Amino acid sequence: MALVLLFAALGTTQVTTVMDAGQILSFTIFVTFWIPCVATLTTQIREIGWKWTSVGMVLNTVIAIFLAAGARFLA
């Protein structure tokens, strides 16, 4: 699903013509560690409540950003 969104955002399926290898790697790492799924968040809210879901979502996003940025600058 992430590739479909990437293709739509870039306006092409030829990702390598628009992004270099470092950008593709950082995108892949970010999408792997980030929780974009509304169903997952809804379930977490029901199981652990708003407070801990928010903490988890923020922490997860921060970790995904740091890992993706690290991969981008190391690539």
Side-chain angles (χ1 to χ4, degrees):
M1 194 60 137
L3 283 177
V4 173
L5 293 173
L6 180 63
F7 295 159
L10 296 177
T12 181
T13 59
Q14 302 298 321
V15 177
T16 56
T17 62
V18 182
M19 298 172 72
D20 63 25
Q23 290 172 322
I24 294 169
L25 178 64
S26 64
F27 172 78
T28 303
I29 289 173
F30 181 82
V31 169
T32 300
F33 288 97
W34 184 58
I35 302 176
C37 183
V38 174
T40 300
L41 295 175
T42 304
T43 302
Q44 285 181 343
I45 290 168
R46 269 191 269 139
E47 295 293 326
I48 61 176
W50 276 100
K51 179 183 174 184
W52 289 110
T53 299
S54 298
V55 168
M57 190 170 60
V58 168
L59 184 61
N60 193 289
T61 302
V62 168
I63 289 170
I65 289 170
F66 278 122
L67 290 174
R72 175 68 178 126
F73 292 116
L74 293 176

